[in-house]
Each structure stands twice: as structure tokens, then as C-alpha cells.
Amino acid sequence: MPPTNKPSAASSPWVKEREQRERSRAEKRDVLLHTAAREFKAHGFYNTSLDQVAELLGVSKPTIYYYFKDKDELLFACAQAALDRLQEALKDPRSLGQTGREGAVAFMQRYIEVMTSDFGHALVSTEDSDLQPDSRRKIRGEKVRINECLKAILERGVSDGSIAPCNVELVTFAIFGAMNWIARWYTDRSPSPAEIAADFAKFFSEGLAPRA
């Protein structure tokens, strides 16, 4: 019998159409998140309405409900987007052949880049009262995990001698306090995110270095 060329599922026009719809939906959701994050930053969560966001996007308010059930879920998604972008900063520095101090610098540079984004502001300016209990617990848990990650990197630096002996917990609080505040004062007129990250990392790196 002559061979039959059966079409694969991947070549099906229905599959391709579905993939295109999914990409389009993801792109629209991303634009919606960025727009909402900028509005939350400019006007505050309570002073920003979904009607405003919809108007800026040129869509109807029900369109937003297709992606998010309410404003709380939209704010949570903005904060989660910042946390997702911080995953690169959570890499174990030992796997990259770095000392603890080098790992801390890499962490700070990535963290500051996120803090200068619209999503960074949404993360640090979100108050517990702004979110529903379940969303609140999730964000708190993620923040604690990131805090513990930097603390572990600093402790490793003290152990390998690349960081001077110090109260690691207090240093962790100091670093996060300085970095989180960037999201509140950063504007388009500020130095570039890369410049801010480099200066902050240099400042803290020199402060953490062992003294001769």
C-alpha cells in the first residue's frame, strides 16, 4: 500500500488558530497589566478605577473582567509580575561560581532593575489592606522568601570571607529598605535603572567588603 501522509495535530489549522488566540490573549493581558501598574503608580490604588484603565486602553470595562475578576486581582497580578521578574535574582551564587558578596551584588542589581519598573512600584506600595486575605498571604509569603534568599547569600559571604562579619539580619533590612524606596522616588527623569543599580551595588558592596 502507498504511504499515507496523515496531518499531525501540530499542523492542524485549528491548533494554530488556538495558539494564535492564546498569544494574542497573553499580549493583551500584558498591556493591561502595564497600563494598570502605571495608573496605580500615578494615582494610587484607591484613586484608580477600572473605568480609567479601560478608557486608556480604548476598551469597555467588561473587557477587563475577561482577564481579571476585580481590581484586587489586577493589583495582585501587578505585584506578582514583579515577583516573577525577581526569580533571576534568586539563583544560588555558588552555581555561578560567585562569592557571597558577588552573589549579593548580582541580586541587588536585578532587584533594583525591577524596582524601577511599574511593577516594582506596585509591589512595594501595595499595603496589606489593599488586598484580599488570600492574595495578602501569597504576597507576604513571596516577600519573606526573597528576604530569606538575600539573607542566606549574605551569610554565605560571611562564611567564605568575602563579606565582613556583621549582623546579617540588620544588613538585610537595610538593603531592602534602601532598594524598596527606589520604587517610590524613581521617575523617567531619574538616572537609568542600570546606573542606579550599579551605584547602589557599588555602595553596598564596598560597605560589606572585609577591611584589610
Side-chain angles (χ1 to χ4, degrees):
M1 294 179 62
T4 58
N5 296 320
K6 294 182 179 180
S8 66
S11 65
S12 166
W14 285 272
V15 171
K16 291 181 178 179
E17 183 179 344
R18 183 173 67 247
E19 291 174 346
Q20 290 173 348
R21 287 200 305 269
E22 289 173 353
R23 280 196 300 271
S24 177
R25 185 180 188 281
E27 291 169 357
K28 290 175 181 176
R29 183 181 185 275
D30 190 56
V31 172
L32 170 55
L33 277 178
H34 276 280
T35 302
R38 285 193 291 269
E39 288 302 290
F40 291 152
K41 180 177 181 179
H43 308 293
F45 176 69
Y46 290 109
N47 293 326
T48 299
S49 69
L50 292 183
D51 291 301
Q52 290 173 250
V53 177
E55 183 178 354
L56 286 170
L57 292 170
V59 300
S60 64
K61 187 175 179 180
T63 300
I64 295 179
Y65 291 131
Y66 175 72
Y67 298 91
F68 302 99
K69 66 179 182 181
D70 53 31
K71 195 168 71 165
D72 169 79
E73 187 173 85
L74 182 54
L75 175 63
F76 173 76
C78 288
Q80 187 63 56
L83 292 170
D84 291 342
R85 284 158 173 74
L86 289 172
Q87 294 308 308
E88 281 297 308
L90 302 182
K91 286 181 179 178
D92 187 339
R94 288 175 297 186
S95 66
L96 303 176
Q98 295 176 317
T99 65
R101 185 156 67 102
E102 289 170 339
V105 168
F107 178 100
M108 286 186 281
Q109 288 175 327
R110 179 60 180 155
Y111 193 93
I112 290 171
E113 287 172 6
V114 175
M115 285 302 101
T116 53
S117 72
D118 295 324
F119 293 137
H121 184 272
L123 177 63
V124 302
S125 64
T126 297
E127 303 295 338
D128 287 343
S129 58
D130 293 339
L131 297 171
Q132 295 299 318
D134 187 49
S135 298
R136 190 183 309 159
R137 283 190 295 270
K138 289 178 181 177
I139 292 297
R140 281 181 180 176
E142 289 291 323
K143 287 181 176 179
V144 168
R145 189 168 70 88
I146 292 173
N147 183 289
E148 290 301 312
C149 177
L150 178 58
K151 184 178 176 182
I153 293 174
L154 294 174
E155 288 174 342
R156 193 175 304 126
V158 173
S159 296
D160 66 26
S162 62
I163 292 177
C166 60
N167 185 321
V168 171
E169 187 168 8
L170 288 181
V171 173
T172 301
F173 287 144
I175 291 175
F176 274 119
M179 293 193 301
N180 287 340
W181 198 253
I182 293 172
R184 298 182 181 274
W185 57 255
Y186 179 79
T187 68
D188 293 338
R189 296 183 298 277
S190 302
S192 71
E195 291 175 315
I196 295 173
D199 286 344
F200 266 66
K202 181 175 182 290
F203 173 79
F204 278 108
S205 178
E206 292 178 351
L208 293 170
R211 299 294 181 265

